[in-house]
Amino acid sequence: MTTTPMRIVHCVRSPIGGIFRHIRDLATAQSEAGHDVGVICDSSTGSEFDNRLMDEIRPRLSLGLARFPMQRQLTFQDMSAALTLYRHVRDLRPDVLHGHGAKGGAYARLIGTVLRVRGNKVARVYCPHGGSLHYDPNRFEGRVYHTLEYLLGRLTDGIVFVSDYEAAAYESKVGLPKAKTRMVYNGLTPAEFTPIPASADAGDFLYIGMLRDLKGPDLFIEALYNIRLKTGTAPSAHIVGEGPDEERYRKLVSSLGLEKSITFHGALAAPDAFKLANTVVVPSRAEAMPYIILETVAAQRPLIATRVGGIPEVFGKYADRLIEPGHIGKLTVAMENALSEPERMAADAKELRSCLAETFSVELMSDRITTLYQEIKGLKPQEVSVSGAKETVSARARPQSVYARSSNR
């Protein structure tokens, strides 16, 4: 059936990494479904690589791609930024204002609330993507951010969680959501479920992701150093990505004498990066639902990852393969085992890939989120074609995971 097109605006601070990949895929799918879509993001963040990705999506955004200065931390500049953003959003006359991440979520809900007071019944939707939920609730900073999340929760019409882990973290640190909620896994396109072999001259290990301590590149470097101490030779490795701590990691590599073993590449598309090494390592200390895990599994690349966030939900019955986060010794052992057992790593990668495609799809992700919008707006559920038959999206069973719990999702 045909539904009324909506005017949807996505707001995010940082237009990089998995969070922007999520927005690009969602905005593209919504645009193709006939909705008018716009994106708002920070003007001071993003490399040449990231800017190219924004240029690719720009033609699909009938409401435009606008960039304004947004600070990562809470500052007095947030007030002037909010006023500038409000004027822009007001003129777009959105039906849905969808904020991503802590800062994007705050702007979207505050601006959406002002618009509602002024008579525009915009739906205020929020997706944490980890964000403030990564903070320790026992530390002052964590208490501040979680209190703000609680207060903003009263100005929220819908919340999208990208993993059951994230939903549980929100409930334990912020409280039971008052808004309508959905648990919606990040999704990949059908084309991404194609094995990508390593090149003939591939190195041993690949780290790909943002260069900040939360993602664990320092642990990756130290594990390579540990292997050199034990064997006399450091494995060859590649580091792909950009981030605020890049210079510090380069200095760490230099101080450990690993310059000849580790190569920094900057940002690359995942398919190109996968060809650089035999095994991908994701040593994150915290995550929500990282795209790099999904992309690695879909490409059938051997993978070492930590048991954090929604990663066990991707691994499912194979979650015992994950290692403890922040434990340099266990990471070192896992990398040593990968070097000595390449056939087992390849077999594990093939086995894991076989259970991924149906649950982690862009089509399902877009359907479930857009249906949440429709429910908030009181619109009729959309019918979609699935395997040749039609079904109502809102009636579709949610994906099952190792964290399945009862809730209003």
Side-chain angles (χ1 to χ4, degrees), residues 195 278-280 293-294 296-305 314-323 334-335 337-356:
N278 296 317
T279 301
V280 178
I293 293 289
L294 301 179
T296 302
V297 174
Q300 203 172 303
R301 301 303 308 136
L303 172 64
I304 296 170
V314 179
F315 275 66
K317 64 182 179 180
Y318 304 114
D320 59 350
R321 298 176 184 174
L322 298 169
I323 63 174
M335 292 170 67
N337 291 340
L339 289 171
S340 62
E341 303 176 271
E343 294 84 5
R344 177 187 63 81
M345 294 293 293
D348 286 353
K350 185 175 182 180
E351 194 173 42
L352 184 57
R353 177 179 174 270
S354 65
C355 64
L356 188 70

Side-chain angles (χ1 to χ4, degrees), residues 161-234:
F161 296 112
V162 296
S163 67
D164 266 333
Y165 172 87
E166 184 175 67
Y170 186 96
E171 289 184 13
S172 65
K173 297 179 179 182
V174 179
L176 190 67
K178 306 293 185 185
K180 290 180 180 291
T181 64
R182 288 290 184 278
M183 200 289 293
V184 184
Y185 287 134
N186 291 331
L188 302 179
T189 64
E192 291 177 278
F193 290 90
T194 302
I196 299 177
S199 61
D201 59 347
D204 295 310
F205 296 107
L206 166 69
Y207 169 88
I208 175 171
M210 189 175 291
L211 300 186
R212 55 183 297 213
D213 284 351
L214 190 73
K215 304 295 185 179
D218 56 318
L219 301 174
F220 177 69
I221 295 167
E222 290 171 12
L224 294 167
Y225 177 68
N226 287 346
I227 295 174
R228 191 188 74 177
L229 288 178
K230 186 173 181 179
T231 65
T233 304

Side-chain angles (χ1 to χ4, degrees), residues 265-322:
H265 293 268
L268 294 174
D272 296 328
F274 290 149
K275 298 174 184 178
L276 295 174
N278 296 317
T279 301
V280 178
V281 181
V282 181
S284 299
R285 292 179 169 93
E287 288 287 358
M289 177 56 74
Y291 269 100
I292 189 56
I293 293 289
L294 301 179
E295 291 168 328
T296 302
V297 174
Q300 203 172 303
R301 301 303 308 136
L303 172 64
I304 296 170
T306 51
R307 183 188 294 273
V308 293
I311 295 178
E313 297 169 56
V314 179
F315 275 66
K317 64 182 179 180
Y318 304 114
D320 59 350
R321 298 176 184 174
L322 298 169

Side-chain angles (χ1 to χ4, degrees), residues 23 98 101 134 186 358 360 374 376:
I23 293 170
H98 190 158
H134 288 322
N186 291 331
E358 190 171 316
F360 299 91
Q374 293 166 336
I376 294 170

